[in-house]
Amino acid sequence: MEFPFDINQIFTERISFLDQNLVADRWTARRPDLQANLATVIDELGRASAKAQQLTAAVTSASKLQSQRHQLYLLKDGECSGGRGAVVGFLKVGHKKLFLLDRHGVHVEAEPLCVLDFYIAENLQRHGYGLELFDFMLQHKNVEPGRMAYDRPSPKLLSFLEKHYSLTQNVPQVNNFVVFEDFFFNRAAAV
Ligand code: ACO
């Protein structure tokens, strides 16, 4: 995704980590103009992701990121657009308190790290960028994909998880979250 401003000025790293402070680094924190552009990027990504998933409203925006305790990883390609760079996609995660059912139908209360939104620009999908972003997050959070929960995963995300992490056996839930069998291994059941 291209923008009418310099992406490399806002995001200095190939993958940036953003939380509720909404600063890519100390440099953007001191520049209100860069902060405004950063918010534009997040809003635009949120809209594109909602459109791709046929959602009526975006689940990701700059203001939502500021008010919720979620975290966002943003991947850029710093070399395109005449050196100004472009945004490839993003992955948003956060902890949620969930009431889940294990494979025996026993209630388990947990607060796992959840995948809340995930989007790679249409023309760049199926090129391995999603995997790059997801693997970065797994290392950064030191978490296994089977230990995470997935909020209303799209068919593309389910296929992605099966292909890259062999996650196939999901355990049916009564909410919108999907968890896999690995989630319940060695987990104390708190009813
Ligand atoms: N159809 C089916 N499977 C797909 C598609 C597609 N159009 N695109 C990606 N995948 C899956 C497949 O398993 C694919 O492997 P294959 O090409 O061998 O079939 C694999 O992902 C490719 O892996 P990557 O290239 O690393 O993934 P990509 O960069 O495409 O990122 C993502 C995956 C984020 C799901 C991307 O396809 C996307 O943005 N899709 C649209 C938005 C979306 O559905 N996001 C998930 C929302 S649900 C949530 O966030 C909780």
Side-chain angles (χ1 to χ4, degrees):
M1 287 172 77
E2 299 193 352
F3 291 86
F5 42 77
D6 192 341
I7 287 298
N8 289 324
Q9 245 195 329
I10 312 172
F11 305 105
T12 49
E13 303 295 323
R14 181 168 167 83
I15 297 182
S16 296
F17 174 75
L18 296 165
D19 61 14
Q20 58 191 25
N21 296 318
L22 219 66
V23 286
D25 56 34
R26 273 185 254 136
W27 169 242
T28 47
R30 292 196 297 267
R31 290 272 306 267
D33 56 328
L34 297 186
Q35 281 293 103
N37 288 345
L38 187 150
T40 301
V41 170
I42 306 296
D43 288 348
E44 197 59 43
L45 282 170
R47 275 195 289 272
S49 179
K51 191 173 169 204
Q53 296 174 63
Q54 292 161 349
L55 303 177
T56 48
V59 293
T60 300
S61 68
S63 64
K64 283 192 166 112
L65 200 58
Q66 282 174 309
S67 64
Q68 299 166 334
R69 290 182 158 270
H70 299 156
Q71 295 160 343
L72 191 146
Y73 297 86
L74 183 144
L75 174 64
K76 73 164 186 179
D77 177 349
E79 270 146 42
C80 57
S81 304
R84 286 201 314 204
V87 177
V88 175
F90 76 99
L91 169 62
K92 189 173 78 173
V93 299
H95 286 274
K96 291 254 181 185
K97 192 167 189 168
L98 300 177
F99 295 93
L100 299 165
L101 298 172
D102 71 10
R103 60 189 178 284
H104 307 295
V106 175
H107 279 99
V108 174
E109 189 181 330
E111 199 166 347
L113 189 67
C114 303
V115 172
L116 303 171
D117 205 358
F118 189 19
Y119 174 73
I120 297 294
E122 308 298 326
N123 56 329
L124 300 174
Q125 290 174 16
R126 288 186 142 156
H127 285 72
Y129 292 115
L131 181 63
E132 182 181 349
L133 205 43
F134 208 92
D135 273 348
F136 184 95
M137 177 277 297
L138 293 177
Q139 278 201 16
H140 187 246
K141 293 286 184 190
N142 192 22
V143 66
E144 297 288 325
R147 291 289 186 168
M148 298 184 71
Y150 299 86
D151 188 2
R152 237 173 307 190
S154 65
K156 287 184 186 180
L157 177 55
L158 290 172
S159 168
F160 172 92
L161 292 171
E162 178 172 354
K163 179 188 169 103
H164 296 303
Y165 304 109
S166 306
L167 291 173
T168 50
Q169 301 296 314
N170 76 62
V171 181
Q173 302 299 320
V174 290
N175 53 28
N176 291 323
F177 284 82
V178 166
V179 289
F180 295 88
E181 285 201 331
D182 289 4
F183 186 89
F184 298 100
F185 287 152
N186 297 325
R187 187 183 287 274
V191 185

